[in-house]
Amino acid sequence: VMALCLKQVFNKDKTFRPRKKFEPGTQRFELYKKAQASLKSGLDLKAVVQLPPGESINDWIAVHVVDFFNRINLIYGTMSEYCTEKSCPIMSGGLKYEYRWQDDSKYKKPTKVSAPQYMCMLMDWIEMLINNEDIFPTRIGVPFPKQFQQVCTKILTRLFRVFVHVYIHHFDSIINMGAEAHVNTCYKHFYYFIREFSLVDHRELEPLVRMPQGWGS
C-alpha cells in the first residue's frame, strides 16, 4: 500500500519528489550505500546510526540529512491532501505547540502560517541549503563550513516538526493508508540519529515523548 501511495505522490504532485541524489563514485555515495545496507539488514536502529569507524562525522551527518529530507518529504507528500488550509490553518502539534515560520529573507520575524504553507516553505528552504555547495560541498577535498552542524541542527529540528504535526493531526490518515509501519520506522531511525549526535534540543522533542508509538527519552 505504501508503494502505491508513493507512486500516487510521484504522479500527482511533483512538489514532493526527492530532490537530491548522491553522485555514484563519490565518497558520500559509498557512505550512503553503507548506511542503507545497514538499515535494510534489520540491525538495531540504535546501532545503525552510529558513526562507522574511520568516517568523517560531517559526511555522515550530511548523508543522513539529505536522506531524511527525501524520506520525510515523501511521507508528508502522501498525506498532503489531508493537510489543507481548512483542516490545518495553523502549523501546530496539538493545542500546546505552534510553529511559526522564519527564513531571514521574506519572513524575517517568526510568522504564523498554515501547516501546508509551512511544509512547502520548509521543503524549499531545505532544498536550497542542501544544494548550496558552500554549505553541503560535494567535491572531494572541499571542507565543510564551520557552521555546518549548526545548519543541520536547524534543518533536523524543523523536519522533526513534520513528524509532530503528522503524528498528532494526521495519524488516522497514516493508519488508513497502511503507512503506519513505514512512518514509525522512519521516525524511529530519525529519532535515534538526532539523539546519537545531540542534534535537536530535547525541548523540541517534548510533543512526541508520550505518544504510544514513541520510544521515550
Side-chain angles (χ1 to χ4, degrees), residues 32 34 38 41 47 70 100 115 130 135 150 165-166 174 208:
Y32 173 69
K34 192 185 282 187
S38 299
S41 69
N70 285 340
R100 298 186 175 196
I130 62 180
I135 300 170
Q150 215 176 326
H165 183 76
V166 163
I174 295 174
L208 295 185

Side-chain angles (χ1 to χ4, degrees), residues 19-30:
R19 308 170 183 195
K20 174 88 174 178
K21 294 205 165 45
F22 300 101
E23 292 300 316
T26 61
Q27 183 190 0
R28 202 119 359 117
F29 179 72
E30 295 308 316

Side-chain angles (χ1 to χ4, degrees), residues 44-127:
D44 170 25
L45 285 167
K46 278 185 180 172
V48 164
V49 298
Q50 289 165 9
L51 181 67
E55 297 293 356
S56 135
I57 186 164
N58 281 344
D59 272 318
W60 188 240
I61 290 173
V63 161
H64 282 79
V65 166
V66 172
D67 188 38
F68 285 133
F69 164 66
N70 285 340
R71 287 160 67 193
I72 294 166
N73 202 352
L74 278 177
I75 284 170
Y76 181 71
T78 60
M79 51 208 354
S80 56
E81 65 187 286
Y82 304 104
C83 184
T84 64
E85 301 283 329
K86 198 175 174 183
S87 70
C88 305
I90 295 168
M91 173 56 183
S92 59
L95 297 172
K96 202 175 166 188
Y97 300 93
E98 181 189 317
Y99 303 119
R100 298 186 175 196
W101 180 257
Q102 182 179 13
D103 57 20
D104 298 324
S105 55
K106 191 179 173 187
Y107 295 90
K108 290 190 164 58
K109 289 180 179 168
T111 307
K112 190 179 282 202
V113 294
S114 69
Q117 271 180 297
Y118 188 100
M119 300 297 184
C120 200
M121 291 191 287
L122 173 61
M123 300 311 173
D124 286 345
W125 174 77
I126 297 174
E127 185 185 23

Side-chain angles (χ1 to χ4, degrees), residues 100-183:
R100 298 186 175 196
W101 180 257
Q102 182 179 13
D103 57 20
D104 298 324
S105 55
K106 191 179 173 187
Y107 295 90
K108 290 190 164 58
K109 289 180 179 168
T111 307
K112 190 179 282 202
V113 294
S114 69
Q117 271 180 297
Y118 188 100
M119 300 297 184
C120 200
M121 291 191 287
L122 173 61
M123 300 311 173
D124 286 345
W125 174 77
I126 297 174
E127 185 185 23
M128 178 193 70
L129 289 173
I130 62 180
N131 285 313
N132 183 338
E133 282 287 328
D134 294 334
I135 300 170
F136 278 74
T138 54
R139 295 185 301 282
I140 290 169
V142 177
F144 285 91
K146 284 193 176 74
Q147 79 277 23
F148 177 70
Q149 288 192 22
Q150 215 176 326
V151 172
C152 289
T153 284
K154 206 165 180 181
I155 291 172
L156 293 167
T157 297
R158 289 179 170 184
L159 281 174
F160 184 80
R161 294 170 181 177
V162 179
F163 281 119
V164 173
H165 183 76
V166 163
Y167 269 125
I168 292 175
H169 296 277
H170 301 293
F171 198 62
D172 288 352
S173 303
I174 295 174
I175 292 169
N176 292 340
M177 288 190 292
E180 186 182 356
H182 175 83
V183 175

